[in-house]
Amino acid sequence: MSNIFQVLMNISQEFLTKSRMQPMAIDESEYEFGVCICETVVALGSSNMQCILVDGARTSHFLQQMLEYYQHYRIALHFQSLLFWLVALREPSKAKSVARVSGDTSPAGNLGSVGVSSTEKEKKGVSLFITDEIYSTLLDVSFKRMLKKSANSSSSLLELWNEELEGKSDFSNYRTKLLDLIRVIASQRPVIAAANIVQRINVVSGDANQTTKSPQDLDAMVGAQLGLETVVSAIFDGSGDYAKTDHEAKFQIHRTFEGLLQQLLSLKWTEPSLIVIHGHYLDSLGLYLRHYPDVVASVVNKLFELLTSLPITIQGPSNNSRQARLQICSSFIRISRAADKALLPHMKNIADTMAYLQGEGRLLRAEHDHLCEAFLIMASSSGIQQQQEVLAWLLEPLNKTWTQVEWQTAYLSDPSGLTDMFADTQFMWSIYHTVTFFEKALKRSGTKRSTTAPQAAITTTTATGYLHPMSSHLSWILPPLLRLLRCIHALWAEPFAQSLTGEIKAAKSMTISEQASLLGETSKPTKGQVAPADGLLDVQREGESKENNIRNWLRGVRDSGYNLIGLAATLGEAFFRCIDGSSVILALMENVQVMEFRHLRQLMHLAVVPLVKYCPAELWQIWTANLLQPIFVHCQQALDYSWSSLLREGRAKVPDSFGNLSGSELKVEVMEEKLLRDLTREVCSVLWVLALPGLNSGLPSLEQLGPVNRIDSSLKSLESFASSSLTGFLMLNVGTALPALRITVEVFSWTDSEAVTKVIPFCGALIHLAVATNRAELRQFVGNDLFSSIIQGLSVELNAVVSAELIGLCREIYLYLSDKDPAPKQVLLSLSDMKQEDLLAFDDCLSKTASPKEQKQHMRSLLLLATGNKLKALASQKTTNIITNVTTRNRGTVA
């Protein structure tokens, strides 16, 4: 290995020297060879550094070459080197065997010749050879390469990232790797990282008095802001390492960031795009403010100064000022989250300023809601009592308008009232902002939720007398919301849907962003970027069609309303006892059969899953059974129809409206299939929740149930599990259980391994119930229908990823039920190549081992034998057990 290192390093040196001295003399084939050599050296160095670490001079030379590759103007060479530096700096533990390995295998065989003890080498590894200069150079290059090649990029020697780079994923993943490297360096050398990022900001900001910047300068400033956020996070976040930093280093770091902050406070930028960047620079320092709270007041004042320096443009061709104002309000949210208790002394000042601006008419509703959200975050760091006071202050004015009978009578008495509301754009958007603020209030208040099992969490909170600060407000928030959602759902119900105007009918189709998401065309917003629906549509904008406004409003209110109900459900008893379950179920389920797939998925994901998960056991009959029956009945029929269409005709038939997409038949087909798969997975997620251990605490494990051939007289009735197992309770409600069981067996024939993964725990719970109870129908279903379906699922090649789990289910069914019911043996004997003697031999093998692992292996072998190797999920594994570390990618420069 040491010799291979030397050979490759010699070739690398020749290439790097020529590249440095005569860059124009290197042709494309020579460059491709250089990339190949670099890739090989990186692979070697990432796994085998221990082979040369005993030789200090060679190690230093190798690292210098890696640094030169990292600095190289060609992006492909730089990218390969980035992968090495991530391993070398992030995982010093990889070098822990240095002394032992090199002591035994080094050709030199002389550890004493190196001026470092073997213990120190074992502890520090490669980091022993990395100088401050190397750290500084790595940071400098990383900050410069935070940009992407675009129309704004000027021609320079540095080859920036572009989308044509082959095999390098996308730019966001590349930049994430750069930020990871910056984070690692900042945590190891905080003083160097702080100095470097401030220097970079000064370079890209240029003349502070310059009021406008080129698009290229703006891109560079955004890149520097991401670098600043990463460095500050690495130095100051969480782990307490900063508290252990020595006094001298702390002093230097503090002085560096204090100088930067003073520069930022003195800036007088007025362009909206520059003000957004200015706000992000300030909120990037949030964690610094947590440790140095003396400057918080100045930062708060500066943010309000930036906010008020931008004009309020209610309508106009440009949205830049309004977007910039909203981004500044978002900066308050991020600082509140990062600075923690440092903002508490300034809450009154912030509240007074908000009240003053609102009184002057200089604060839009969306901006006010963002600042209120920041307020809630501040309050959450000061205890429940402070939260209750803040919530009372924020919600009191909303209470007066939200609970008024007049608007509810006018707009929510029947679905036609909602169409009248669409004519009053300002009121329509005020309702949207009220709903979204209730959602934010629930999300931001209370204590951090436990990750324990839901049932346990509910019991704990009840026992300790903890009352969520939003609990007392749910009784007046929820009733109008439920009426509103019921009216929205009715827009899709016949015959009323036919009477709608063309404008409203068109508004019921998908938004462009929903279509883009389904097609995988969504570009991820930059951190902190606010989506257009998040407050930018509070009044109808010039050039924005009323149809589009209604479409955005419908989507926003529906999603926030569902999420609000789901968040409220996590409060447990406080929610389920404060409102009549029938009103919630009526609002959500009345028109479930006319919902589009995208709406059904959101309803289940945001509302149904939390309602099922956090419902107290004594309320299962009132809430869970009545909630799940209409969902399961409709979804079973809708999914069966759509999957049959997809598997037989090649196209999923879904009820969703895509709007005007003429000439885009292929896109429609792609979106239809995506909608079908998303809904299928969500339905299976509900089944997964039903099988959660915390909701099935009374269900014994198969091991606890004792011997396989236990007599029936010791079995319990299914009713005995009704209060301690949600799955058991569900099985007693035939109207809910039957469609759920149909979905369970059908999902194995649908070609979606993710859905199968989600349904496996529910299958496991059914098997446990069948074994533990004396319910013959359940035992027959598991031993026959479920067993057959799981075996059928193994014929779908995509299910190879969960084949081990499916074999485990087959083992449990056969092992624990075949002595009690003939169905499992009949299922196996019905397989195409199964013979009676094979089954007898299988039984004999099972009797000779108690090892679950060996029993699963016997089951796997039997199923392959019994189906003539036609179970693709099992057969496909045989072909993957080959060498996998060889790539056959095209070395060409064009993708």
Side-chain angles (χ1 to χ4, degrees):
M1 275 297 180
S2 181
N3 289 338
I4 293 171
F5 261 102
Q6 193 59 56
V7 172
L8 289 170
M9 284 170 65
N10 289 342
I11 300 171
S12 279
Q13 195 57 54
E14 287 177 25
F15 173 79
L16 288 169
T17 302
K18 184 174 181 181
S19 178
R20 187 171 57 249
M21 306 296 292
Q22 303 171 288
M24 305 307 292
I26 297 181
D27 61 24
E28 201 58 35
S29 63
E30 198 170 354
Y31 164 66
E32 285 193 14
F33 176 67
V35 172
C36 185
I37 289 296
C38 180
E39 189 176 353
T40 310
V41 175
V42 165
L44 195 64
S46 298
S47 305
N48 298 282
M49 280 300 289
Q50 68 270 21
C51 298
I52 62 166
L53 274 174
V54 289
D55 187 338
R58 193 190 300 186
T59 301
S60 296
H61 185 206
F62 180 81
L63 293 176
Q64 202 59 44
Q65 284 190 352
M66 285 292 100
L67 185 65
E68 202 168 338
Y69 277 126
Y70 196 73
Q71 293 172 281
H72 205 280
Y73 69 95
R74 295 298 292 260
I75 181 76
L77 292 167
H78 153 80
F79 182 83
Q80 289 299 332
S81 180
L82 168 60
L83 303 178
F84 166 79
W85 286 110
L86 279 169
V87 172
L89 295 178
R90 189 163 49 190
E91 302 179 38
S93 59
K94 277 186 180 292
K96 283 192 175 178
S97 59
V98 171
R100 287 193 302 278
V101 175
S102 51
D104 293 339
T105 63
S106 168
N110 183 9
L111 285 171
S113 64
V114 184
V116 181
S117 71
S118 61
T119 306
E120 191 173 354
K121 281 193 170 181
E122 192 167 342
K123 191 175 176 183
K124 295 189 176 181
V126 179
S127 60
L128 198 66
F129 298 92
I130 302 177
T131 63
D132 287 354
E133 185 183 353
I134 290 177
Y135 279 117
S136 189
T137 304
L138 289 171
L139 286 169
D140 184 49
V141 173
S142 300
F143 293 142
K144 286 177 180 174
R145 285 201 169 275
M146 207 73 72
L147 302 175
K148 180 180 181 181
K149 187 176 179 62
S150 66
N152 301 328
S153 309
S154 62
S155 57
S156 65
L157 274 178
L158 195 67
E159 182 189 30
L160 295 175
W161 182 276
N162 65 76
E163 296 301 343
E164 292 183 357
L165 284 170
E166 170 204 0
K168 306 291 189 298
S169 188
D170 57 25
F171 178 69
S172 62
N173 286 339
Y174 163 68
R175 190 157 67 178
T176 297
K177 286 183 171 64
L178 282 180
L179 293 172
D180 281 347
L181 185 64
I182 293 168
R183 186 176 293 108
V184 171
I185 295 173
S187 62
Q188 294 176 10
R189 294 292 188 276
V191 176
I192 293 173
N196 269 266
I197 187 57
V198 171
Q199 183 182 7
R200 176 64 181 169
I201 289 170
N202 290 334
V203 169
V204 299
S205 299
D207 183 1
N209 297 317
Q210 191 178 347
T211 54
T212 58
K213 302 281 184 183
S214 68
Q216 185 185 358
D217 289 339
L218 290 174
D219 288 346
M221 291 166 75
V222 169
Q225 181 267 321
L226 285 171
L228 174 64
E229 186 178 334
T230 304
V231 169
V232 171
S233 171
I235 295 174
F236 296 105
D237 196 16
S239 60
D241 288 346
Y242 184 69
K244 301 171 190 170
T245 308
D246 67 78
H247 181 73
E248 177 60 29
K250 273 187 181 176
F251 175 75
Q252 290 184 55
I253 292 167
H254 176 36
R255 188 174 61 181
T256 301
F257 285 125
E258 187 179 36
L260 173 64
L261 190 54
Q262 292 309 315
Q263 285 176 246
L264 294 173
L265 293 173
S266 64
L267 285 174
K268 298 292 182 186
W269 288 335
T270 55
E271 276 284 310
S273 54
L274 286 172
I275 286 179
V276 169
I277 292 171
H278 194 171
H280 285 332
Y281 276 137
L282 290 171
D283 69 52
S284 296
L285 291 166
L287 287 166
Y288 166 78
L289 298 178
R290 182 189 293 185
H291 291 269
Y292 299 99
D294 294 348
V295 287
V296 168
S298 304
V299 173
V300 168
N301 292 337
K302 186 65 181 180
L303 285 173
F304 274 121
E305 180 189 315
L306 292 174
L307 180 65
T308 53
S309 70
L310 290 160
I312 293 180
T313 52
I314 300 299
Q315 288 187 336
S318 172
N319 214 22
N320 292 344
S321 288
R322 293 182 64 208
Q323 203 155 13
R325 286 176 64 93
L326 207 60
Q327 291 288 358
I328 293 301
C329 295
S330 299
S331 289
F332 271 103
I333 293 175
R334 285 186 288 277
I335 287 179
S336 302
R337 207 157 33 214
D340 201 35
K341 295 182 179 180
L343 276 168
L344 291 179
H346 308 281
M347 286 177 74
K348 187 178 186 309
N349 175 40
I350 295 171
D352 291 345
T353 309
M354 284 169 60
Y356 170 74
L357 291 174
Q358 203 169 17
E360 295 266 309
R362 295 164 64 195
L363 200 62
L364 292 174
R365 176 66 187 273
E367 297 160 3
H368 176 265
D369 286 357
H370 271 62
L371 293 176
C372 288
E373 186 177 356
F375 230 89
L376 288 168
I377 296 168
M378 294 176 220
S380 68
S381 64
S382 62
I384 296 297
Q385 186 177 349
Q386 179 95 40
Q387 284 189 58
Q388 288 172 335
E389 292 170 6
V390 168
L391 281 168
W393 170 63
L394 293 174
L395 293 174
E396 186 181 358
L398 293 178
N399 184 331
K400 291 175 183 174
T401 56
W402 183 247
T403 56
Q404 277 179 358
V405 177
E406 290 79 9
W407 81 269
Q408 295 182 50
T409 304
Y411 296 135
L412 304 182
S413 295
D414 58 71
S416 61
L418 198 60
T419 62
D420 296 333
M421 187 199 291
F422 296 152
D424 187 349
T425 309
Q426 190 169 355
F427 185 78
M428 177 177 100
W429 282 106
S430 75
I431 291 296
Y432 163 81
H433 286 299
T434 301
V435 173
T436 55
F437 184 71
F438 290 152
E439 179 192 12
K440 289 170 185 173
L442 261 169
K443 196 183 294 182
R444 297 298 185 189
S445 53
T447 55
K448 288 184 179 178
R449 290 190 186 89
S450 168
T451 55
T452 57
Q455 203 66 40
I458 294 166
T459 309
T460 307
T461 53
T462 309
T464 55
Y466 166 81
L467 200 62
H468 192 282
M470 278 291 287
S471 299
S472 59
H473 300 285
L474 294 178
S475 58
W476 63 265
I477 288 175
L478 291 171
L481 174 69
L482 294 172
R483 293 183 69 184
L484 180 60
L485 288 173
R486 192 180 175 194
C487 286
I488 290 174
H489 295 157
L491 295 177
W492 276 261
E494 300 295 352
F496 180 69
Q498 288 301 319
S499 66
L500 296 173
T501 64
E503 200 169 47
I504 297 175
K505 283 181 181 176
K508 286 160 56 181
S509 61
M510 273 186 203
T511 63
I512 293 172
S513 62
E514 284 177 300
Q515 292 177 11
S517 176
L518 289 170
L519 293 167
E521 296 171 353
T522 311
S523 55
K524 291 181 181 177
T526 309
K527 190 172 183 182
Q529 184 177 327
V530 181
D534 200 359
L536 291 180
L537 297 172
D538 51 350
V539 291
Q540 187 173 357
R541 294 178 293 170
E542 194 173 298
E544 184 78 63
S545 70
K546 188 170 182 183
E547 172 197 317
N548 211 34
N549 268 283
I550 295 172
R551 182 183 292 117
N552 282 316
W553 185 90
L554 284 170
R555 183 189 178 194
V557 172
R558 186 195 284 266
D559 287 357
S560 287
Y562 292 164
N563 198 33
L564 201 160
I565 292 169
L567 289 168
T570 65
L571 274 55
E573 296 270 357
F575 165 78
F576 289 97
R577 303 286 185 191
C578 88
I579 191 162
D580 177 27
S582 60
S583 64
V584 177
I585 290 158
L586 180 67
L588 298 182
M589 297 296 146
E590 182 183 27
N591 285 302
V592 71
Q593 71 279 2
V594 295
M595 283 189 184
E596 297 185 11
F597 277 13
R598 59 194 168 113
H599 299 147
L600 261 176
R601 179 183 175 273
Q602 287 295 83
L603 173 65
M604 283 191 282
H605 182 70
L606 297 174
V608 173
V609 165
L611 286 168
V612 172
K613 200 172 181 180
Y614 293 94
C615 180
E618 60 271 21
L619 297 178
W620 283 348
Q621 186 62 55
I622 299 170
W623 283 85
T624 309
N626 293 325
L627 189 69
L628 291 181
Q629 183 172 351
I631 279 273
F632 283 152
V633 168
H634 173 64
C635 286
Q636 188 272 322
Q637 294 169 353
L639 291 177
D640 181 50
Y641 173 74
S642 292
W643 273 106
S644 296
S645 299
L646 179 64
L647 296 175
R648 291 173 190 166
E649 302 167 29
R651 179 168 181 174
K653 293 176 182 175
V654 302
D656 296 65
S657 169
F658 300 101
N660 184 17
L661 275 175
S662 56
S664 305
E665 195 69 17
L666 181 60
K667 284 189 174 183
V668 171
E669 288 185 29
V670 170
M671 289 191 283
E672 286 174 336
E673 184 172 337
K674 182 73 165 60
L675 286 165
L676 173 59
R677 291 186 183 278
D678 285 348
L679 179 61
T680 305
R681 292 166 188 176
E682 205 56 56
V683 172
C684 291
S685 291
V686 176
L687 295 173
W688 177 81
V689 168
L690 292 173
L692 283 172
L695 298 173
N696 293 276
S697 56
L699 196 59
S701 67
L702 293 176
E703 289 72 23
Q704 290 173 317
L705 290 172
V708 175
N709 55 359
R710 199 159 46 99
I711 55 173
D712 272 16
S713 59
S714 64
L715 299 177
K716 293 183 178 180
S717 67
L718 187 58
E719 287 77 6
S720 65
F721 292 100
S723 60
S724 60
S725 166
L726 184 52
T727 307
F729 167 81
L730 183 77
M731 290 302 106
L732 288 169
N733 290 266
V734 178
T736 312
L738 286 178
L741 295 177
R742 285 195 191 103
I743 292 169
T744 304
V745 296
E746 286 168 355
V747 76
F748 291 103
S749 63
W750 301 335
T751 53
D752 196 296
S753 59
E754 196 171 320
V756 171
T757 302
K758 292 176 185 292
V759 87
I760 284 172
F762 183 66
C763 295
L766 291 176
I767 295 168
H768 285 215
L769 274 173
V771 175
T773 67
N774 55 12
R775 185 60 65 103
E777 304 96 321
L778 180 59
R779 193 181 298 170
Q780 178 66 25
F781 169 80
V782 170
N784 185 48
D785 303 61
L786 185 60
F787 196 23
S788 300
S789 298
I790 293 170
I791 294 172
Q792 183 185 357
L794 288 166
S795 67
V796 178
E797 191 169 0
L798 289 170
N799 290 335
V801 291
V802 287
S803 61
E805 289 83 354
L806 297 182
I807 289 292
L809 294 177
C810 290
R811 166 197 167 264
E812 290 179 356
I813 292 172
Y814 188 83
L815 197 65
Y816 289 92
L817 287 180
S818 59
D819 284 344
K820 302 181 181 68
D821 195 291
K825 288 188 177 181
Q826 288 169 359
V827 167
L828 289 179
L829 286 169
S830 69
L831 297 175
S832 59
D833 290 25
M834 175 62 85
K835 296 174 184 172
Q836 184 71 45
E837 53 267 32
D838 294 331
L839 190 58
L840 291 172
F842 173 65
D843 285 332
D844 185 50
C845 289
L846 288 185
S847 67
K848 291 177 181 176
T849 178
S851 163
K853 184 177 179 181
E854 290 180 12
Q855 290 170 348
K856 287 177 191 175
Q857 188 57 48
H858 289 314
M859 176 59 76
R860 183 179 184 279
S861 301
L862 179 74
L863 290 175
L864 281 171
L865 175 70
T867 57
N869 283 332
K870 289 174 185 172
L871 296 182
K872 296 176 183 176
L874 300 180
S876 66
Q877 294 174 349
K878 291 186 173 182
T879 61
T880 59
N881 191 21
I882 55 174
I883 297 173
T884 56
N885 62 341
V886 178
T887 59
T888 55
R889 70 178 181 82
N890 178 10
R891 297 277 174 187
T893 54
V894 180

